[in-house]
Amino acid sequence: DSGVTQTPKHLITATGQRVTLRCSPRSGDLSVYWYQQSLDQGLQFLIQYYNGEERAKGNILERFSAQQFPDLHSELNLSSLELGDSALYFCASSVSPGPSYEQYFGPGTRLTVT
Amino acid sequence: AQSVAQPEDQVNVAEGNPLTVKCTYSVSGNPYLFWYVQYPNRGLQFLLKYITGDNLVKGSYGFEAEFNKSQTSFHLKKPSALVSDSALYFCAVRDDRGSTLGRLYFGRGTQLTVWP
């Protein structure tokens, strides 16, 4: 158990809908990352937050947004969902955003868009 | 551009034999290299990392990795494989420069199968 929690574990929804994925980092970790894992794209970095501020942005679609709250938990919002958004979404956290710090991953949220 | 290559989709090895999972990388700055393992329906677990210093890094569950700067490689190794090592292994790199400072770049993963 990494100490990173994600809810829900599974989510099934229809095209055009909006969902929110939630992540709680390990105790003491200030930096949160979101990744998408799919068979065709592999593991893709979406976005990073550090102590409430957006730090780095990756391959995140405009239909997706995220934020980190004062208690350090984070939410990833996915809207106008398409079939191609079906994937495993991981949250990770690290004590610092610096490159030498390993990231600890949550168990993921499996999103299925029908 | 930063990237990671894992040239083998699959590695098969007999229990008790040594195993190697290959990884090469490309970064513009200094590399920070990581190995993660993913079991079915689970998140990624951190195995080990190379930051600086000794080129041979030891990690969890008896795994180690060798950093080779001239070959830009970071191969994962274990002297004696176990059936329980069967899983998907990811190599990842972080850069220490610019706007990509925060992100991990992952390889496509290598499925390791250890048979009894």
Side-chain angles (χ1 to χ4, degrees):
Chain A
D1 184 5
S2 67
V4 178
T5 60
Q6 288 186 250
T7 56
K9 285 192 78 172
H10 302 277
L11 204 47
I12 301 174
T13 189
T15 53
Q17 295 298 305
R18 173 189 170 94
V19 297
T20 297
L21 313 184
R22 184 189 167 102
C23 167
S24 292
R26 291 188 321 158
S27 177
D29 284 359
L30 299 179
S31 203
V32 168
Y33 311 78
W34 286 97
Y35 293 86
Q36 180 194 59
Q37 185 179 34
S38 61
L39 279 174
D40 53 343
Q41 297 289 326
L43 265 163
Q44 298 282 316
F45 168 75
L46 295 177
I47 198 164
Q48 177 197 5
Y49 282 84
Y50 174 64
N51 209 17
E53 304 262 331
E54 183 184 303
R55 182 85 175 197
K57 223 166 183 175
N59 305 322
I60 188 165
L61 300 170
E62 284 192 15
R63 300 183 285 109
F64 296 0
S65 65
Q67 59 185 124
Q68 186 180 27
F69 294 87
D71 68 351
L72 300 177
H73 91 271
S74 179
E75 292 180 357
L76 178 67
N77 300 297
L78 315 176
S79 62
S80 303
L81 285 167
E82 302 175 359
L83 295 177
D85 298 327
S86 296
L88 200 47
Y89 290 85
F90 286 112
C91 168
S93 72
S94 64
V95 64
S96 163
S100 64
Y101 293 88
E102 60 271 25
Q103 297 173 22
Y104 290 89
F105 283 73
T109 293
R110 183 169 293 282
L111 173 66
T112 303
V113 183
T114 63
Chain B
Q2 293 79 356
S3 65
V4 175
Q6 293 180 242
E8 300 156 318
D9 291 337
Q10 192 126 5
V11 168
N12 299 310
V13 64
E15 188 171 35
N17 283 0
L19 69 87
T20 299
V21 182
K22 296 179 181 176
C23 170
T24 59
Y25 66 90
S26 173
V27 292
S28 52
N30 293 311
Y32 296 81
L33 294 151
F34 302 82
W35 276 101
Y36 285 84
V37 60
Q38 186 178 26
Y39 296 97
N41 301 312
R42 301 282 295 275
L44 279 73
Q45 292 180 34
F46 168 72
L47 277 180
L48 50 79
K49 67 181 179 183
Y50 171 82
I51 305 303
T52 186
D54 195 350
N55 289 342
L56 187 64
V57 178
K58 294 191 184 297
S60 308
Y61 313 118
F63 283 94
E64 55 191 29
E66 188 166 11
F67 172 67
N68 187 315
K69 187 173 182 179
S70 62
Q71 297 186 4
T72 60
S73 67
F74 188 55
H75 300 331
L76 181 69
K77 301 182 181 190
K78 188 173 183 182
S80 179
L82 299 172
V83 172
S84 57
D85 292 330
S86 299
L88 188 55
Y89 289 81
F90 289 96
C91 180
V93 66
R94 291 181 86 174
D95 201 347
D96 67 348
R97 291 190 182 177
S99 62
T100 60
L101 186 62
R103 63 182 296 176
L104 268 171
Y105 292 84
F106 283 93
R108 296 285 296 182
T110 298
Q111 181 65 49
L112 172 68
T113 301
V114 181
W115 73 82

